[in-house]
Amino acid sequence: MFRLDGKIALITGSGGGLGVGVARALCSQGAHVVINDLNPELAEQTSTMLCAEGFASSAAPFDVTQRGAVKESVARIERDTGPIGILVNNAGNAGGQKYTPTPFVDMPPDLWERFIAVNMTGVMNCTQAVIGGMSARGYGRVITVSSTAGRVGKSINVSVYGAAKAGAAHFMRHLSQEVAKDGITANVISLGFMNTMSEGFAHKIIAQIPAGRVGMPEDLAAATVYLASDEAAWVTGATLVVDGGYTPF
Ligand SMILES: NC(=O)c1ccc[n+]([C@@H]2O[C@H](COP(=O)([O-])OP(=O)(O)OC[C@H]3O[C@@H](n4cnc5c(N)ncnc54)[C@H](O)[C@@H]3O)[C@@H](O)[C@H]2O)c1
């Protein structure tokens, strides 16, 4: 079950961070994984590493916030490698810059625009670049990595990030209705606190996670493989909450 043989998967922001684990998991299920990142060196390094592990992978550096570059890159991938059947909208956070939680009252508009650009507009840019081809071929999987911050309000100074994540998630729900007839699913993973947090913050937050630990890349990877699989064909417009029980319901 859950094999992805013959599928081409584009994972945004997978040169570093959690996306690397997602890429390895999709590869090990048989997919050819295209590693996107803002940072060309990271994209190349991760793709080279996966190839050295015996997997099928290539690199496609571009900035998801730049609509023209996204369109051109997707066209190039589809010409050189083949049709993209799986899109994982993973690039997010503060868009390649240090993520410093900031109270909204102090937040300059250029900072909130950056959060919205990468976490919401970037999702739309990438989705629109692949969705026409998916519809024409009658098959597609669009998976957007959102956050518990996009489902519940929290006093951790992430209001704009949370708003952008909520926007991307709701975009998936509506999109799922438009494209279901074409064999395309569009789903959301609402991700909780992960092992990428600073140790001090993780220590404080673990006490509030019923499972008693932060999330690992493998937790996100397994959820992504499931939603990407043929077995999840009847799952669309859904939000899979992967957060150790932090936000039940
Ligand atoms: N880490 C967490 O605790 C956590 C929790 C919930 C949700 N998330 C979400 O999970 C996803 C992955 O998180 P992460 O911590 O691995 O991210 P990260 O900040 O480590 O970034 C991963 C990669 O994305 C690339 N990137 C950033 N902006 C980009 C852009 N505009 N275009 C292309 N690539 C870009 C970066 O260069 C980096 O290599 C994000 O969407 C994030 O919002 C993370």
Side-chain angles (χ1 to χ4, degrees), residues 12-20 36-39 42-43 61-66 89-97 99 117-119 122 144-149 161 165 189-197 215 220:
T12 67
S14 58
L18 302 169
V20 179
N36 158 258
D37 206 282
L38 187 60
N39 179 329
L42 280 183
F62 59 84
D63 181 342
V64 299
T65 69
Q66 302 302 309
N89 289 308
N90 170 73
N93 279 335
Q97 312 220 1
Y99 186 168
V118 66
N119 291 286
T144 293
V145 181
S146 185
S147 165
T148 50
Y161 169 73
K165 287 300 201 194
I189 295 174
S190 177
L191 196 61
F193 292 102
M194 303 300 285
N195 68 332
T196 48
M197 284 180 306
L220 171 62

Side-chain angles (χ1 to χ4, degrees), residues 148-168:
T148 50
R151 287 180 71 236
V152 295
K154 281 281 157 192
S155 59
I156 51 174
N157 298 324
V158 296
S159 58
V160 175
Y161 169 73
K165 287 300 201 194

Side-chain angles (χ1 to χ4, degrees), residues 38-72:
L38 187 60
N39 179 329
E41 280 169 21
L42 280 183
E44 284 295 345
Q45 274 170 22
T46 300
S47 170
T48 303
M49 176 183 74
L50 292 169
C51 290
E53 292 173 22
F55 297 127
S57 176
S58 48
F62 59 84
D63 181 342
V64 299
T65 69
Q66 302 302 309
R67 190 169 302 128
V70 172
K71 268 184 83 173
E72 274 172 34

